[in-house]
Short mmCIF file of all heavy atoms in Angstrom, two decimals:
data_model
loop_
_atom_site.label_atom_id
_atom_site.label_comp_id
_atom_site.label_asym_id
_atom_site.label_seq_id
_atom_site.Cartn_x
_atom_site.Cartn_y
_atom_site.Cartn_z
N ALA P 21 -140.52 22.25 -58.82
CA ALA P 21 -140.32 20.83 -59.12
C ALA P 21 -141.21 19.97 -58.23
O ALA P 21 -141.74 18.94 -58.67
CB ALA P 21 -138.85 20.45 -58.93
N SER P 22 -141.43 20.43 -57.00
CA SER P 22 -142.29 19.65 -56.10
C SER P 22 -143.73 19.59 -56.62
O SER P 22 -144.43 18.60 -56.40
CB SER P 22 -142.27 20.23 -54.68
OG SER P 22 -142.81 21.53 -54.66
N MET P 23 -144.17 20.63 -57.33
CA MET P 23 -145.51 20.61 -57.92
C MET P 23 -145.60 19.53 -58.99
O MET P 23 -146.57 18.78 -59.06
CB MET P 23 -145.86 21.98 -58.50
CG MET P 23 -147.25 22.04 -59.13
SD MET P 23 -148.60 21.69 -57.98
CE MET P 23 -148.48 23.05 -56.87
N LEU P 24 -144.58 19.43 -59.82
CA LEU P 24 -144.57 18.39 -60.85
C LEU P 24 -144.53 17.00 -60.22
O LEU P 24 -145.21 16.08 -60.69
CB LEU P 24 -143.40 18.59 -61.80
CG LEU P 24 -143.52 19.75 -62.79
CD1 LEU P 24 -142.25 19.95 -63.58
CD2 LEU P 24 -144.70 19.56 -63.71
N PHE P 25 -143.74 16.85 -59.17
CA PHE P 25 -143.69 15.55 -58.48
C PHE P 25 -145.06 15.23 -57.86
O PHE P 25 -145.51 14.08 -57.88
CB PHE P 25 -142.61 15.53 -57.40
CG PHE P 25 -141.23 15.33 -57.95
CD1 PHE P 25 -140.27 16.33 -57.84
CD2 PHE P 25 -140.87 14.15 -58.58
CE1 PHE P 25 -139.00 16.15 -58.34
CE2 PHE P 25 -139.60 13.95 -59.09
CZ PHE P 25 -138.66 14.97 -58.97
N HIS P 26 -145.72 16.25 -57.34
CA HIS P 26 -147.08 16.06 -56.79
C HIS P 26 -148.04 15.60 -57.88
O HIS P 26 -148.80 14.64 -57.69
CB HIS P 26 -147.56 17.36 -56.14
CG HIS P 26 -148.96 17.32 -55.63
ND1 HIS P 26 -149.32 16.60 -54.50
CD2 HIS P 26 -150.10 17.88 -56.10
CE1 HIS P 26 -150.62 16.74 -54.30
NE2 HIS P 26 -151.11 17.51 -55.26
N TRP P 27 -148.01 16.28 -59.02
CA TRP P 27 -148.89 15.88 -60.13
C TRP P 27 -148.57 14.47 -60.60
O TRP P 27 -149.46 13.69 -60.92
CB TRP P 27 -148.77 16.86 -61.29
CG TRP P 27 -149.31 18.24 -60.99
CD1 TRP P 27 -150.16 18.59 -59.98
CD2 TRP P 27 -149.02 19.43 -61.70
NE1 TRP P 27 -150.41 19.93 -60.03
CE2 TRP P 27 -149.73 20.48 -61.08
CE3 TRP P 27 -148.23 19.73 -62.80
CZ2 TRP P 27 -149.68 21.80 -61.52
CZ3 TRP P 27 -148.18 21.03 -63.24
CH2 TRP P 27 -148.89 22.06 -62.61
N ARG P 28 -147.28 14.13 -60.63
CA ARG P 28 -146.88 12.79 -61.05
C ARG P 28 -147.44 11.74 -60.08
O ARG P 28 -147.92 10.69 -60.49
CB ARG P 28 -145.35 12.68 -61.09
CG ARG P 28 -144.89 11.31 -61.56
CD ARG P 28 -143.39 11.16 -61.47
NE ARG P 28 -142.75 11.85 -62.60
CZ ARG P 28 -141.44 11.90 -62.77
NH1 ARG P 28 -140.63 11.36 -61.87
NH2 ARG P 28 -140.94 12.51 -63.81
N ARG P 29 -147.39 12.02 -58.77
CA ARG P 29 -147.92 11.09 -57.78
C ARG P 29 -149.44 10.92 -57.97
O ARG P 29 -149.97 9.82 -57.86
CB ARG P 29 -147.63 11.58 -56.36
CG ARG P 29 -147.94 10.52 -55.31
CD ARG P 29 -147.73 10.99 -53.89
NE ARG P 29 -148.90 11.75 -53.49
CZ ARG P 29 -148.90 13.01 -53.09
NH1 ARG P 29 -147.79 13.69 -53.02
NH2 ARG P 29 -150.01 13.62 -52.76
N LEU P 30 -150.12 12.01 -58.31
CA LEU P 30 -151.57 11.93 -58.55
C LEU P 30 -151.87 11.03 -59.74
O LEU P 30 -152.84 10.27 -59.72
CB LEU P 30 -152.15 13.32 -58.77
CG LEU P 30 -152.12 14.26 -57.57
CD1 LEU P 30 -152.64 15.64 -57.97
CD2 LEU P 30 -152.91 13.70 -56.42
N VAL P 31 -151.04 11.11 -60.76
CA VAL P 31 -151.21 10.24 -61.93
C VAL P 31 -151.04 8.79 -61.51
O VAL P 31 -151.83 7.92 -61.88
CB VAL P 31 -150.22 10.62 -63.06
CG1 VAL P 31 -150.21 9.55 -64.14
CG2 VAL P 31 -150.58 11.96 -63.65
N GLU P 32 -150.01 8.53 -60.73
CA GLU P 32 -149.74 7.16 -60.29
C GLU P 32 -150.87 6.61 -59.41
O GLU P 32 -151.17 5.43 -59.43
CB GLU P 32 -148.41 7.10 -59.54
CG GLU P 32 -147.22 7.32 -60.46
CD GLU P 32 -145.92 7.56 -59.70
OE1 GLU P 32 -145.94 7.59 -58.46
OE2 GLU P 32 -144.90 7.74 -60.37
N GLU P 33 -151.50 7.49 -58.61
CA GLU P 33 -152.61 7.08 -57.74
C GLU P 33 -153.92 6.94 -58.52
O GLU P 33 -154.90 6.45 -57.99
CB GLU P 33 -152.80 8.08 -56.61
CG GLU P 33 -151.69 8.09 -55.61
CD GLU P 33 -151.86 9.18 -54.56
OE1 GLU P 33 -152.78 10.03 -54.70
OE2 GLU P 33 -151.06 9.21 -53.62
N GLY P 34 -153.93 7.43 -59.73
CA GLY P 34 -155.14 7.34 -60.54
C GLY P 34 -156.12 8.46 -60.28
O GLY P 34 -157.29 8.36 -60.65
N THR P 35 -155.68 9.53 -59.66
CA THR P 35 -156.59 10.64 -59.37
C THR P 35 -156.36 11.82 -60.30
O THR P 35 -156.89 12.90 -60.06
CB THR P 35 -156.42 11.11 -57.91
OG1 THR P 35 -155.05 11.46 -57.70
CG2 THR P 35 -156.85 10.05 -56.93
N MET P 36 -155.62 11.61 -61.36
CA MET P 36 -155.33 12.69 -62.29
C MET P 36 -156.56 13.12 -63.07
O MET P 36 -156.62 14.20 -63.61
CB MET P 36 -154.23 12.25 -63.26
CG MET P 36 -153.75 13.32 -64.18
SD MET P 36 -152.85 14.58 -63.29
CE MET P 36 -152.08 15.40 -64.63
N SER P 37 -157.59 12.29 -63.10
CA SER P 37 -158.78 12.62 -63.89
C SER P 37 -159.48 13.86 -63.37
O SER P 37 -160.22 14.51 -64.09
CB SER P 37 -159.75 11.45 -63.91
OG SER P 37 -160.15 11.13 -62.60
N SER P 38 -159.26 14.23 -62.11
CA SER P 38 -159.93 15.40 -61.57
C SER P 38 -158.97 16.56 -61.39
O SER P 38 -159.05 17.30 -60.43
CB SER P 38 -160.58 15.05 -60.23
OG SER P 38 -159.60 14.69 -59.31
N LEU P 39 -158.07 16.73 -62.32
CA LEU P 39 -157.11 17.81 -62.21
C LEU P 39 -157.52 19.05 -63.00
O LEU P 39 -156.68 19.75 -63.53
CB LEU P 39 -155.73 17.36 -62.67
CG LEU P 39 -154.94 16.55 -61.67
CD1 LEU P 39 -153.60 16.16 -62.24
CD2 LEU P 39 -154.73 17.33 -60.40
N GLY P 40 -158.80 19.32 -63.08
CA GLY P 40 -159.24 20.54 -63.72
C GLY P 40 -158.81 21.74 -62.89
O GLY P 40 -158.42 21.62 -61.74
N THR P 41 -158.90 22.91 -63.46
CA THR P 41 -158.40 24.11 -62.81
C THR P 41 -159.04 24.36 -61.46
O THR P 41 -158.37 24.63 -60.49
CB THR P 41 -158.65 25.32 -63.73
OG1 THR P 41 -158.06 25.03 -64.99
CG2 THR P 41 -158.02 26.56 -63.17
N GLU P 42 -160.34 24.26 -61.37
CA GLU P 42 -161.05 24.58 -60.13
C GLU P 42 -161.43 23.35 -59.33
O GLU P 42 -162.14 23.45 -58.34
CB GLU P 42 -162.32 25.39 -60.46
CG GLU P 42 -162.04 26.71 -61.16
CD GLU P 42 -161.23 27.66 -60.30
OE1 GLU P 42 -161.44 27.70 -59.07
OE2 GLU P 42 -160.37 28.37 -60.85
N GLU P 43 -161.01 22.18 -59.74
CA GLU P 43 -161.41 20.95 -59.07
C GLU P 43 -160.37 20.54 -58.04
O GLU P 43 -159.18 20.68 -58.26
CB GLU P 43 -161.58 19.82 -60.10
CG GLU P 43 -162.65 20.10 -61.12
CD GLU P 43 -162.68 19.04 -62.20
OE1 GLU P 43 -161.92 18.07 -62.11
OE2 GLU P 43 -163.47 19.19 -63.12
N SER P 44 -160.85 20.02 -56.92
CA SER P 44 -159.91 19.52 -55.93
C SER P 44 -159.69 18.04 -56.18
O SER P 44 -160.52 17.36 -56.78
CB SER P 44 -160.47 19.73 -54.53
OG SER P 44 -161.68 19.03 -54.38
N VAL P 45 -158.56 17.55 -55.72
CA VAL P 45 -158.21 16.16 -55.93
C VAL P 45 -158.41 15.41 -54.63
O VAL P 45 -157.92 15.81 -53.58
CB VAL P 45 -156.74 16.04 -56.38
CG1 VAL P 45 -156.33 14.60 -56.52
CG2 VAL P 45 -156.54 16.78 -57.68
N VAL P 46 -159.19 14.33 -54.69
CA VAL P 46 -159.46 13.53 -53.51
C VAL P 46 -159.10 12.08 -53.85
O VAL P 46 -159.56 11.55 -54.85
CB VAL P 46 -160.96 13.62 -53.13
CG1 VAL P 46 -161.25 12.78 -51.92
CG2 VAL P 46 -161.36 15.07 -52.89
N PRO P 47 -158.29 11.45 -53.02
CA PRO P 47 -157.94 10.05 -53.28
C PRO P 47 -159.18 9.16 -53.25
O PRO P 47 -160.15 9.43 -52.53
CB PRO P 47 -156.99 9.69 -52.13
CG PRO P 47 -156.49 10.99 -51.61
CD PRO P 47 -157.58 11.99 -51.88
N GLU P 48 -159.13 8.10 -54.03
CA GLU P 48 -160.27 7.18 -54.13
C GLU P 48 -160.62 6.58 -52.78
O GLU P 48 -161.79 6.37 -52.46
CB GLU P 48 -159.96 6.08 -55.14
CG GLU P 48 -161.16 5.21 -55.45
CD GLU P 48 -160.87 4.20 -56.54
OE1 GLU P 48 -159.92 4.39 -57.30
OE2 GLU P 48 -161.62 3.22 -56.61
N SER P 49 -159.63 6.31 -51.94
CA SER P 49 -159.89 5.73 -50.62
C SER P 49 -160.71 6.70 -49.77
O SER P 49 -161.61 6.28 -49.04
CB SER P 49 -158.58 5.41 -49.91
OG SER P 49 -157.80 6.57 -49.75
N GLU P 50 -160.43 7.98 -49.90
CA GLU P 50 -161.20 8.99 -49.16
C GLU P 50 -162.64 9.04 -49.67
O GLU P 50 -163.58 9.17 -48.89
CB GLU P 50 -160.52 10.36 -49.31
CG GLU P 50 -161.21 11.48 -48.58
CD GLU P 50 -161.03 11.44 -47.07
OE1 GLU P 50 -160.27 10.60 -46.57
OE2 GLU P 50 -161.66 12.26 -46.39
N VAL P 51 -162.82 8.93 -50.97
CA VAL P 51 -164.16 8.93 -51.56
C VAL P 51 -164.96 7.75 -51.03
O VAL P 51 -166.11 7.89 -50.62
CB VAL P 51 -164.09 8.90 -53.11
CG1 VAL P 51 -165.46 8.67 -53.71
CG2 VAL P 51 -163.48 10.19 -53.64
N LYS P 52 -164.34 6.57 -51.02
CA LYS P 52 -165.03 5.37 -50.54
C LYS P 52 -165.39 5.50 -49.07
O LYS P 52 -166.48 5.12 -48.65
CB LYS P 52 -164.17 4.13 -50.77
CG LYS P 52 -164.11 3.72 -52.22
CD LYS P 52 -163.29 2.47 -52.41
CE LYS P 52 -163.28 2.07 -53.88
NZ LYS P 52 -162.52 0.87 -54.12
N ARG P 53 -164.48 6.06 -48.27
CA ARG P 53 -164.75 6.24 -46.85
C ARG P 53 -165.92 7.19 -46.64
O ARG P 53 -166.82 6.93 -45.84
CB ARG P 53 -163.51 6.79 -46.13
CG ARG P 53 -163.68 6.88 -44.61
CD ARG P 53 -162.51 7.60 -43.95
NE ARG P 53 -162.41 8.99 -44.32
CZ ARG P 53 -163.18 9.96 -43.79
NH1 ARG P 53 -164.12 9.67 -42.93
NH2 ARG P 53 -163.02 11.21 -44.17
N LEU P 54 -165.93 8.28 -47.40
CA LEU P 54 -167.02 9.25 -47.28
C LEU P 54 -168.35 8.68 -47.77
O LEU P 54 -169.40 8.96 -47.19
CB LEU P 54 -166.67 10.53 -48.04
CG LEU P 54 -165.53 11.35 -47.42
CD1 LEU P 54 -165.13 12.49 -48.35
CD2 LEU P 54 -165.91 11.87 -46.05
N GLN P 55 -168.31 7.86 -48.82
CA GLN P 55 -169.54 7.22 -49.29
C GLN P 55 -170.10 6.27 -48.24
O GLN P 55 -171.32 6.23 -48.02
CB GLN P 55 -169.28 6.47 -50.60
CG GLN P 55 -169.11 7.37 -51.79
CD GLN P 55 -168.70 6.63 -53.05
OE1 GLN P 55 -168.12 5.55 -52.99
NE2 GLN P 55 -168.98 7.23 -54.21
N ALA P 56 -169.23 5.53 -47.56
CA ALA P 56 -169.68 4.63 -46.49
C ALA P 56 -170.26 5.44 -45.34
O ALA P 56 -171.28 5.05 -44.75
CB ALA P 56 -168.52 3.78 -46.01
N GLN P 57 -169.66 6.57 -45.05
CA GLN P 57 -170.16 7.42 -43.97
C GLN P 57 -171.54 7.98 -44.33
O GLN P 57 -172.44 8.01 -43.48
CB GLN P 57 -169.19 8.56 -43.70
CG GLN P 57 -169.58 9.43 -42.53
CD GLN P 57 -168.57 10.53 -42.25
OE1 GLN P 57 -167.64 10.75 -43.03
NE2 GLN P 57 -168.75 11.23 -41.16
N VAL P 58 -171.72 8.40 -45.57
CA VAL P 58 -173.02 8.90 -46.01
C VAL P 58 -174.08 7.81 -45.90
O VAL P 58 -175.19 8.04 -45.43
CB VAL P 58 -172.94 9.45 -47.46
CG1 VAL P 58 -174.32 9.67 -48.04
CG2 VAL P 58 -172.13 10.74 -47.49
N LYS P 59 -173.72 6.60 -46.33
CA LYS P 59 -174.65 5.47 -46.26
C LYS P 59 -175.08 5.20 -44.81
O LYS P 59 -176.26 5.00 -44.53
CB LYS P 59 -174.00 4.23 -46.86
CG LYS P 59 -174.93 3.06 -47.01
CD LYS P 59 -174.24 1.90 -47.71
CE LYS P 59 -175.18 0.73 -47.87
NZ LYS P 59 -174.56 -0.38 -48.59
N GLU P 60 -174.12 5.23 -43.90
CA GLU P 60 -174.43 5.01 -42.47
C GLU P 60 -175.30 6.12 -41.92
O GLU P 60 -176.26 5.88 -41.19
CB GLU P 60 -173.12 4.89 -41.67
CG GLU P 60 -173.32 4.76 -40.18
CD GLU P 60 -174.01 3.49 -39.75
OE1 GLU P 60 -174.15 2.54 -40.56
OE2 GLU P 60 -174.44 3.42 -38.58
#
């Protein structure tokens, strides 16, 4: 049940689009932080 709750939270955060079998899920805030770090 915790897995379903986890997937539900991902949907609510808007990160469900990357829920392919071999894909990892990264929150958008983490992506933005990493993009800023790459730019710097």
Side-chain angles (χ1 to χ4, degrees):
S22 64
M23 180 60 65
L24 287 174
F25 282 115
H26 176 72
W27 292 343
R28 182 186 282 179
R29 191 183 82 239
L30 294 176
V31 168
E32 290 168 359
E33 291 175 353
T35 56
M36 186 68 165
S37 60
S38 63
L39 281 180
T41 305
E42 299 297 323
E43 298 174 3
S44 61
V45 177
V46 179
E48 188 175 341
S49 59
E50 181 74 5
V51 171
K52 287 182 179 181
R53 185 188 66 78
L54 291 172
Q55 286 173 336
Q57 184 178 8
V58 167
K59 187 176 181 178
E60 176 65 13

